[in-house]
Amino acid sequence: MDTSTWYRDFGELEARGQSAIYEQWALGVADDPALITLIEELPLQKRQPNLVFACARLLGAPERDYPAFRRWLMPNWSAVVSEALARSTQTNEARRCASLLPALSLIPGPLALLEVGASAGLCLFPDRYSYSYDGGAPRDPPAGPSTVLLESTTTGGMPRPRSVPRIVWRAGLDLHPLDVRDADDMYWLETLVWPEQHERRARLRAAIRIAAENPPRIVRGDASVLASLAAQAPDDATLVVITSAVLVYLPFAARMRFVELVRSLDTRWISLEGVRGLPTVRAALPDDGGSDGRFVLALDEVPLAFTGPHGQSLDWIAVL
């Protein structure tokens, strides 16, 4: 996909209806050959709209129309490049747990969770959030209602989780871990939330407070560390590897090596990735589902549902 198409798709498929500012910025960039030329000087994985826009906002870009954004961006481009090269899009959306929960509920517990690309680890706490599907009565943690209520709409007869999972061990793996106790790290996480998404920002802050009560262990490293970290999970728990919007950042050859590594482990694998993230999952879909920017929830490479990228919807397609 060329850069102009990438930004146009981001604006039309992901930002539309979620952020009017990002939609306008993305469509403006898509039609701006001079700016496209600058963006294409970045390494491929650093050209992402989310990353470029968040770095610009971190440095003070005005959250206004595209002409105002461009007037700020052009003289500040070198500073944006420096930030983009040093950072990555570590969107740690706790509401993705509303998509993960139905798959977790299909796995016998107790569970040991290992998330690859964990960022600050907010998705390692599905047992400490409350859930409501289609406005129904919340499913709460055993200790009672959580300060974080994750709401999602569903179609297709999704099996309703009766409770949150029992998790006895949790760890994360990330190239650049973020610390929930570090104010600068958490400010970057907040900046990754799109401009108008105030509810999402409030949810992020509440999830950070929950994680900060007992910060998760997140190991710095790449997939080469996965096997040794997995070996530390308790033997009396079912190990579950989770990947959530992470495989897109791996070049295809590295992604396939990662797939083979996960297959070699004694683990269950829940993936929540773009339609094109896993070839085996895409091949098993009833249709490619990729025209509207949705993700695919899969268990052991078997697709279960199409989902909203931030956990806001779940369209069940599996027959259990």
Side-chain angles (χ1 to χ4, degrees):
M1 182 185 300
D2 65 42
T3 305
S4 178
T5 301
W6 190 351
Y7 274 74
R8 186 172 305 283
D9 284 355
F10 177 82
E12 293 177 348
L13 302 180
E14 297 186 48
R16 183 164 294 168
Q18 302 295 323
S19 170
I21 289 173
Y22 271 13
E23 179 184 356
Q24 185 176 158
W25 287 6
L27 296 180
V29 170
D31 289 332
D32 192 328
L35 193 48
I36 290 293
T37 298
L38 290 176
I39 292 172
E40 288 183 340
E41 293 175 358
L42 288 166
L44 179 61
Q45 299 302 323
K46 299 296 184 178
R47 300 175 193 173
Q48 307 153 40
N50 271 340
L51 181 61
V52 171
F53 293 165
C55 288
R57 290 172 56 225
L58 186 73
L59 294 169
E63 295 179 359
R64 293 162 50 197
D65 59 19
Y66 181 69
F69 173 65
R70 191 184 193 280
R71 285 194 298 272
W72 180 94
L73 186 62
M74 297 306 283
N76 290 284
W77 179 248
S78 61
V80 172
V81 168
S82 295
E83 290 291 344
L85 292 175
R87 298 182 181 276
S88 57
T89 50
Q90 296 174 281
T91 306
N92 208 180
E93 175 52 69
R95 189 163 62 169
R96 285 180 178 148
C97 287
S99 294
L100 298 173
L101 183 64
L104 288 169
S105 299
L106 298 175
I107 303 172
L111 305 180
L113 298 189
L114 200 173
E115 184 180 13
V116 179
S119 186
L122 303 185
C123 288
L124 285 168
F125 295 95
D127 55 335
R128 298 187 191 173
Y129 304 139
S130 294
Y131 301 84
S132 175
Y133 295 97
D134 303 313
R139 270 67 166 174
D140 297 319
S146 172
T147 55
V148 174
L149 175 63
L150 305 179
E151 299 178 278
S152 183
T153 60
T154 75
T155 64
M158 181 194 82
R160 302 286 164 158
R162 296 183 178 180
S163 62
V164 300
R166 180 180 170 226
I167 299 169
V168 296
W169 183 89
R170 67 194 90 214
L173 179 63
D174 201 284
L175 288 173
H176 305 286
L178 299 179
D179 187 340
V180 291
R181 298 162 296 188
D182 185 284
D184 289 339
D185 281 356
M186 295 304 95
Y187 185 68
W188 172 239
L189 269 191
E190 286 201 23
T191 305
L192 286 167
V193 176
W194 300 355
E196 302 93 336
Q197 295 182 332
H198 305 300
E199 179 183 352
R200 188 177 164 205
R201 189 171 292 105
R203 183 169 58 246
L204 173 68
R205 291 170 178 167
I208 289 169
R209 288 192 291 270
I210 287 176
E213 294 173 0
N214 186 13
R217 180 190 178 203
I218 304 179
V219 175
R220 182 182 299 272
D222 58 17
S224 65
V225 185
L226 180 60
S228 61
L229 187 55
Q232 299 174 34
D235 292 335
D236 58 352
T238 303
L239 177 63
V240 181
V241 168
I242 294 173
T243 61
S244 174
V246 67
L247 297 183
V248 68
Y249 302 120
L250 295 178
F252 187 77
R255 191 182 314 176
M256 292 302 98
R257 288 194 297 271
F258 175 79
V259 170
E260 291 302 323
L261 174 59
V262 176
R263 289 172 179 170
S264 72
L265 301 175
D266 183 15
T267 183
R268 308 297 300 272
W269 179 15
I270 296 177
S271 59
L272 186 61
E273 303 287 346
V275 169
R276 296 171 179 82
L278 285 168
T280 49
V281 171
R282 185 180 184 184
L285 292 174
D287 57 65
D288 70 12
S291 61
D292 57 3
R294 290 183 296 176
F295 284 8
V296 179
L297 173 70
L299 176 59
D300 301 328
E301 301 179 69
V302 176
L304 301 178
F306 291 115
T307 79
H310 297 140
Q312 66 270 39
S313 63
L314 195 150
D315 303 316
W316 195 261
I317 58 174
V319 178
L320 300 177

